[in-house]
Amino acid sequence: MVSDVHGNARDLARAGEGADALICLGDLVLFLDYADHSRGIFPDLFGVENADRLVELRTARRFEEARELGGRLWGGIDGDRAQLIEQAVRKQYAELFPAFPTPTYATYGNVDMPQLWSEFAEPGTTVLDGERAEIGGRVFGFVGGGLRTPMRTPYEISDEEYAAKIEAVGEVDVLCTHIPPEVPELVYDTVARRFERGSRALLDAIRRTRPRYSLFGHVHQPLAPRMRIGATECVNVGHFAGSGKPWALEW
């Protein structure tokens, strides 16, 4: 089980060793590495100094200034913004998807581009979003993407659309999402020093349907990496990009 791969194809290729299946909860793309500002699409386009400044502004929650900085930088570059980003994402996907073992079950993260996944996913990779799958005799539900934020990452959707996907999954043994339930200890990032967005609909579903596990990523350095909500064990299975180590689910 991995989440928040963020370009780590080397460790991804080994993540499924000894397992019946690999489950990936999204964020394959590396736009900007907050630990190493020289890595990612943003510094490749605009340099490390500008990446340093962007991280500084975002960490201070000065999102309007961060958007202004981005606007100035994009205004000074030749080419269509969306096309340049898609080219960079395609380059990363071309390296990452072949690293998935067979079988892999995957859903999208908030920085992913779902419209490209069908092009890169190989036959052994099953992509699910608002859907269920039986794996090892247990029913797994998958809900990808994130909720809308000032960061405006590629796959952010409305609370209503997200809640509809949670509802479509229904009762499962293991509920797999990219973002966590909306619990302060699970959504606070101790390094970024901010609360990320979690889902109230997901939290309500956990309390109502009582899955055995709720598994998620998104928050890279959470205040609490795991906690119990009623009968459900909630576990953050990221940040794979930094650790290179998968989390093993056994029964």
Side-chain angles (χ1 to χ4, degrees):
M1 180 83 62
V2 301
S3 184
D4 298 82
V5 175
H6 294 302
N8 189 350
R10 181 192 62 188
D11 291 323
L12 183 63
R14 299 193 293 262
E17 291 178 356
D20 295 324
L22 178 71
I23 293 174
C24 178
L25 303 184
D27 271 9
L28 301 184
V29 173
L30 178 61
F31 188 76
L32 175 58
D33 189 335
Y34 277 59
D36 180 355
H37 303 169
S38 68
R39 298 182 63 244
I41 295 172
F42 188 91
D44 286 349
L45 289 171
F46 304 117
V48 177
E49 189 173 316
N50 285 315
D52 290 341
R53 180 58 177 160
L54 184 68
V55 171
E56 178 186 353
L57 291 172
R58 285 183 171 180
T59 302
R61 302 187 64 81
R62 292 156 62 183
F63 296 118
E64 190 59 41
E65 292 177 66
R67 282 194 291 271
E68 289 173 0
L69 171 64
R72 290 197 303 273
L73 293 172
W74 281 109
I77 199 169
D78 292 330
D80 177 77
R81 174 177 178 171
Q83 187 176 30
L84 288 170
I85 291 176
E86 182 175 318
Q87 288 173 352
V89 170
R90 283 179 176 276
K91 183 179 179 181
Q92 292 189 15
Y93 281 169
E95 182 180 4
L96 288 159
F97 274 92
F100 280 138
T102 298
T104 290
Y105 298 84
T107 196
Y108 317 112
N110 61 291
V111 301
D112 285 312
M113 299 180 71
Q115 67 272 26
L116 300 181
W117 278 38
S118 61
E119 181 179 337
F120 289 93
E122 299 185 356
T125 298
T126 302
V127 180
L128 301 133
D129 188 16
E131 300 164 283
R132 299 149 59 104
E134 184 177 323
I135 307 170
R138 300 292 192 275
V139 178
F140 286 68
F142 293 83
V143 175
L147 298 174
R148 288 177 182 153
T149 71
M151 308 284 276
R152 299 180 183 177
T153 51
Y155 190 39
E156 294 181 354
I157 60 177
S158 69
D159 288 65
E160 293 77 16
E161 186 177 351
Y162 195 89
K165 291 197 293 184
I166 292 287
E167 186 67 23
V169 165
E171 294 188 15
V172 295
D173 298 307
V174 185
L175 186 50
C176 299
T177 59
H178 177 67
I179 64 173
E182 193 179 78
V183 176
E185 294 88 344
L186 298 177
V187 300
Y188 185 74
D189 191 304
T190 60
V191 174
R193 293 179 294 170
R194 65 169 179 259
F195 290 96
E196 302 288 356
R197 285 218 62 189
S199 169
R200 169 62 60 174
L202 173 57
L203 177 59
D204 291 344
I206 290 170
R207 288 172 171 163
R208 185 178 69 254
T209 66
R210 298 163 61 87
R212 185 171 178 181
Y213 289 96
S214 167
L215 306 176
F216 48 85
H218 187 57
V219 181
H220 295 170
Q221 294 88 17
L223 185 63
R226 65 191 299 161
M227 68 185 298
R228 184 167 287 275
I229 298 176
T232 303
E233 187 71 18
C234 300
V235 185
N236 185 314
V237 301
H239 171 42
F240 183 75
S243 70
K245 298 177 181 178
W247 185 81
L249 176 61
E250 299 177 346
W251 55 66

